[in-house]
Amino acid sequence: MIEVDRLVKHYRVHERPPGVGAAIRSLFSRPMRVVKAVDDISFKIAAGERVGFLGPNGAGKTTTLKMLSGLLFPTSGNARVSGYVPFERNPEFLRSIMLVAGQKQQLLWDLPPAETFELNRAIYDLPRAEYRATLDELVSVLQLEDLLQKPVRQLSLGERMKCELAAALLHRPRVLFLDEPTIGLDVTMQAAVREFIRRHNERHGVTVILTSHYMEDVAALCPRVIAIDHGRLVWDGSLTDLVRETKPEKRISLKLAAPATTAELECSGARVIESTELEVKLQVAQAQLPAAVSELLSRLQVVDMTVEDAPLEEVLSDLFARHAE
């Protein structure tokens, strides 16, 4: 569904020091430098995949999505989405994709969402019966019944994002680019949006590329992760393999009925990384996990225990630090 081959986007930017003198000199001489927003990345995404597209701020994520959606022309390289070259902006290509950005909106501020939905129906020339069936489904799944006739300015951020998703999906795109779709939403609304995206992907086979700084979004939605840093590809593979390769140790969290000594806690290779009087978090190698759990349970008065992977934030931080060296 998506093929990217050695895609590059470089910008030439003007640099000058502050001050009136520098401003006047820049009228005659403008020193330039090249910013490598995207620098020779390649990957393929199959139809129906959900892929997390990750990286720190300024890594080139949004620039890549804009090139794949036809908003930016690349410096060099090739890309095909749904069989089309994005930069040619073929009308059939534009009907097959949608870019949803959490910091941008297509809803008309002083009009109710129903007006934007009707406008999109006209733009995409959707048959009335098809439009009605799709809208009814989206209204039901996203629980929009009470929002359709309210002016957008009266909706909460979460309500607006649900309406944005509905507007984006009315023409049933085959590829959905999601750029920070849950930014600014509360925990409950984030979970609702994630669940809707997952169900829509599974039901309609839509290919989803997600960028997000909320790692809960990635863990819940994306079996595969593509990570870039400074415009370069640093990982393309399963999320499970990324965690296993970067942070193979397990985290053991304990709630105790009585305080424990450091000697009682550090057993079978386990190492204390956080500790309060009755709550402890330890790190242990995968191979030593069974022995460590057995020892801890036999030595301590354990009220509750959880075993989990390292937080995804730490995994990505280590990944980017490794490639920065």
Side-chain angles (χ1 to χ4, degrees):
M1 183 60 73
I2 299 173
E3 298 179 66
V4 174
D5 180 32
R6 308 201 68 175
L7 199 62
V8 172
K9 182 63 178 179
H10 292 174
Y11 294 97
R12 296 181 72 244
V13 298
H14 172 219
E15 285 190 329
R16 69 169 178 83
V20 176
I24 294 173
R25 286 192 296 273
S26 72
L27 296 174
F28 306 97
S29 175
R30 296 173 63 86
M32 309 292 286
R33 72 180 178 91
V34 174
V35 175
K36 298 179 179 180
V38 176
D39 194 24
D40 196 26
I41 65 173
S42 301
F43 57 83
K44 294 182 179 181
I45 297 175
E49 276 197 273
R50 296 194 306 267
V51 178
F53 193 50
L54 307 180
N57 289 330
K61 306 183 298 297
T62 300
T63 300
T64 302
L65 294 192
K66 286 182 176 180
M67 286 191 285
L68 293 181
S69 57
L71 293 175
L72 288 178
F73 198 90
T75 304
S76 64
N78 300 295
R80 297 188 73 85
V81 178
S82 299
Y84 299 95
V85 177
F87 338 120
E88 296 177 353
R89 297 184 63 80
N90 184 291
E92 289 305 312
F93 162 73
L94 297 177
R95 290 176 63 90
S96 72
I97 67 150
M98 178 52 74
L99 170 63
V100 179
Q103 301 183 60
K104 305 289 184 182
Q105 71 171 43
Q106 60 177 312
L107 299 174
L108 303 172
W109 187 247
D110 290 312
L111 297 177
E115 297 288 346
T116 299
F117 298 162
E118 280 290 342
L119 178 61
N120 282 10
R121 185 199 66 77
I123 290 173
Y124 289 101
D125 194 24
L126 301 176
R128 178 69 65 176
E130 177 186 320
Y131 162 77
R132 193 71 251 174
T134 304
L135 180 59
D136 287 346
E137 177 188 346
L138 292 170
V139 167
S140 174
V141 173
L142 288 168
Q143 300 178 348
L144 303 179
E145 294 88 347
D146 299 332
L147 309 179
L148 293 179
Q149 301 306 324
K150 286 185 178 180
V152 170
R153 54 185 166 76
Q154 294 181 5
L155 302 180
S156 69
L157 180 58
E159 291 170 338
R160 291 204 304 272
M161 180 47 64
K162 291 199 297 182
C163 292
E164 288 283 351
L165 284 170
L169 297 172
L170 281 172
H171 65 290
R172 292 200 180 278
R174 289 183 291 164
V175 180
L176 188 59
F177 300 110
L178 299 174
D179 189 10
E180 302 282 0
T182 61
I183 190 168
L185 303 185
D186 62 40
V187 174
T188 302
M189 191 56 65
Q190 286 177 18
V193 169
R194 286 195 294 264
E195 177 62 15
F196 169 75
I197 293 169
R198 184 187 62 79
R199 290 175 58 187
H200 189 80
N201 161 264
E202 292 173 351
R203 183 169 182 176
H204 298 288
V206 176
T207 304
V208 177
I209 299 183
L210 167 76
T211 75
S212 180
H213 286 103
Y214 295 132
M215 292 301 101
E216 293 87 349
D217 292 350
V218 179
L221 288 172
C222 303
R224 175 183 170 193
V225 166
I226 296 173
I228 64 174
D229 190 17
H230 295 95
R232 305 282 296 188
L233 189 74
V234 297
W235 178 268
D236 183 0
S238 78
L239 183 58
T240 302
D241 288 346
L242 173 61
V243 174
R244 186 182 297 120
E245 181 176 317
T246 307
K247 282 278 190 181
E249 302 86 2
K250 290 288 186 178
R251 300 290 174 88
I252 304 174
S253 298
L254 300 174
K255 289 186 179 179
L256 306 175
T261 65
T262 302
E264 289 176 314
L265 291 169
E266 293 185 342
C267 58
S268 297
R271 179 171 61 86
V272 177
I273 54 176
E274 290 181 27
S275 178
T276 61
E277 188 176 4
L278 297 177
E279 294 188 10
V280 182
K281 186 170 288 187
L282 305 101
Q283 182 169 287
V284 62
Q286 174 75 51
Q288 296 174 298
L289 179 62
V293 169
S294 177
E295 252 187 275
L296 290 167
L297 289 174
S298 65
R299 289 183 181 187
L300 307 174
Q301 300 179 47
V302 178
V303 175
D304 189 28
M305 171 185 286
T306 60
V307 178
E308 54 194 358
D309 292 321
L312 193 49
E313 291 87 350
E314 289 187 23
V315 172
L316 290 172
S317 178
D318 277 15
L319 174 68
F320 298 139
R322 180 196 309 169
H323 285 272
E325 295 173 354

